[in-house]
Amino acid sequence: MDSKSVPPPPAYSGPGYPAAQAQYGFPQYMPGSAIPGQQMAVTVQDQLNTPGPVIWMPIPPPIPKCPPGLEYLSQIDQISIQQQIELMEMISGFETCNRYEVKNSLGQMMYFAAEENDDFTLNMYGPLRSFTIKLFDSRSQPVMQLSRAFHCSICCCPCVCCLQELEVQAPPGTVIGYVKQKWHPCLPKFVIQNEAREDVLKMAGPCVPCRCFENIHFEVKALDGKSTVGTISRQWGGFAREAATDASIFGINFPMDLDIKTKAIVIGACFLLDFMFFERKGNRNRRGRTTGLHGAHRHRGAHRRHRH
C-alpha cells in the first residue's frame, strides 16, 4: 500500500479525481418489457445485485478528442463485467433482457449496461437474436451503444451471412468501430476494426465447448499475431452458479496507454462473446418442462388418457 499519489497518465492533464461517492438513483429497464427504452425510476439497491450502497467511480474531467463518457477508460487497465442474475428468468423459464454491471479493479461501478429488446425476439431467436445494448454512466447518460444484427450461425459455412458483427457507437449515434468474426471451422476468431473498417487488432480463443470447469481466455493481439495486447476472460462461476443461471462474469485486461476508443471496442467484443458462446439456447427451466423426466411423465399420462 504505497502512500504516494499515483500520477495521471500522459493523456490527461488536470487536477486529481475527487473522492468516490455513493449513488442511489438510476433509470432501470423494466424486466421483460416489450417496449425498448421503457424506463422506471428505482434505487440502485433494487437494480444491482450488490448489497449496500453502490460506489461509483469518480467522474473524470473531459479529455480532448475523447467521446463523452469514455474518460473513465483513460484511467484503467482492468475491467470486470458481471451479468445480473434474473430471478424471473430462472423461475419462469422465459428469456429476459440481459443487464450487466461494469466495474473497475477496485469494485467501483463504471457503467450499467442494459439490453433493449422485445419478448418475441428474446424467446424466438435466443442467443442469435439481434440486440441493442446501451451503457449508462452514474449520471444516467448513455455513453455507448452496441448493436448486432441477426445472422444465422453455421460454423462449417464461411458465408458472410453466417458471421457475426458488432457495431460500437460512442456516444450513441457516432460509430467508433466494429468487432467482426472471421471464419474458422472450430475456433473463435475476430478482428477489431476502427470507424473506417480498418483492421486494428485481432482476437482469438480456444474451442469453447472443449473448455469445461475452467476459465476461458480470449487473447487480443496485434495484427502480426505475435504480441498480446490484452485478454478477455470468461470466469468459471462454480457448479451451483453454472447450473442455475447463464449469467456470466468476465475480466478484461489491456494496457493503460491503449487508445480509448480501442478499449471501448474491446469492451463491446466482450458482450458479443457472451451472446455467441455463453448464452444458453434455451432456459433449462423451460427445457425441463418439455423434455426429461417431467416431460416423459406428461407424455405417458396423455397416452393413458387417450387409451382410456
Side-chain angles (χ1 to χ4, degrees), residues 18-308:
Q21 298 179 358
Q23 304 287 336
Y24 291 90
F26 201 87
Q28 166 82 341
Y29 285 90
M30 298 178 65
S33 173
I35 304 176
Q38 187 174 5
Q39 298 178 347
M40 63 179 181
V42 297
T43 63
V44 173
Q45 181 76 17
D46 295 330
Q47 57 131 353
L48 298 176
N49 295 331
T50 306
V54 176
I55 305 299
W56 286 83
M57 183 176 175
I59 301 174
I63 299 177
K65 299 182 180 181
C66 175
L70 298 189
E71 298 88 355
Y72 296 96
L73 303 182
S74 66
Q75 303 295 307
I76 60 172
D77 57 0
Q78 297 181 18
I79 293 178
S80 172
I81 299 180
Q82 180 175 347
Q83 183 180 350
Q84 288 190 349
I85 297 176
E86 303 291 346
L87 295 179
M88 290 302 299
E89 181 176 316
M90 295 173 61
I91 296 173
S92 66
F94 290 96
E95 189 71 29
T96 59
C97 290
N98 290 355
R99 295 176 294 181
Y100 304 83
E101 304 168 16
V102 183
K103 300 181 180 180
N104 61 15
S105 59
L106 300 178
Q108 298 172 335
M109 282 283 296
M110 295 174 53
Y111 305 111
F112 176 73
E115 177 188 359
E116 294 181 351
N117 231 322
D118 59 85
D119 292 334
F120 176 82
T121 302
L122 285 167
N123 293 279
M124 178 60 67
Y125 298 101
L128 289 176
R129 63 184 181 265
S130 59
F131 64 78
T132 297
I133 296 178
K134 289 184 178 180
L135 279 71
F136 299 87
D137 61 11
S138 61
R139 295 169 292 188
S140 308
Q141 298 298 318
V143 298
M144 287 179 59
Q145 178 172 301
L146 314 174
S147 303
R148 181 186 73 166
F150 171 79
H151 290 273
C152 61
S153 178
I154 305 176
C155 63
C156 60
C157 178
C159 179
V160 176
C161 65
C162 299
L163 300 177
Q164 303 296 313
E165 180 176 299
L166 181 79
E167 181 185 83
V168 182
Q169 301 178 5
T174 302
V175 178
I176 63 171
Y178 303 87
V179 181
K180 189 173 182 180
Q181 182 185 11
K182 307 295 288 186
W183 182 83
H184 193 277
C186 57
L187 296 179
K189 291 184 177 293
F190 301 85
V191 63
I192 293 176
Q193 301 176 330
N194 59 18
E195 62 272 16
R197 289 191 176 274
E198 298 171 341
D199 294 353
V200 178
L201 296 171
K202 293 182 178 180
M203 183 174 65
C207 181
V208 176
C210 301
R211 297 297 181 96
C212 300
F213 318 121
E214 62 179 354
N215 296 346
I216 302 177
H217 305 287
F218 299 84
E219 292 188 343
V220 181
K221 295 187 176 184
L223 292 179
D224 58 11
K226 297 179 181 180
S227 58
T228 300
V229 177
T231 305
I232 300 177
S233 302
R234 200 269 186 179
Q235 301 173 8
W236 167 252
F239 288 100
R241 181 185 177 94
E242 297 290 339
T245 177
D246 59 0
S248 300
I249 301 176
F250 289 89
I252 303 178
N253 296 275
F254 37 52
M256 184 78 73
D257 59 353
L258 185 65
D259 179 69
I260 292 178
K261 292 183 180 179
T262 305
K263 288 183 179 181
I265 301 172
V266 173
I267 293 175
C270 179
F271 290 91
L272 180 61
L273 293 175
D274 184 38
F275 274 83
M276 288 184 61
F277 302 109
F278 307 107
E279 185 85 358
R280 291 175 185 164
K281 290 184 172 61
N283 188 277
R284 291 188 178 184
N285 294 335
R286 184 165 69 252
R287 291 200 304 267
R289 290 195 295 269
T290 57
T291 60
L293 271 176
H294 298 292
H297 289 323
R298 285 199 299 272
H299 291 315
R300 286 197 295 267
H303 291 318
R304 284 196 292 268
R305 289 193 299 271
H306 180 70
R307 289 197 299 269
H308 177 73

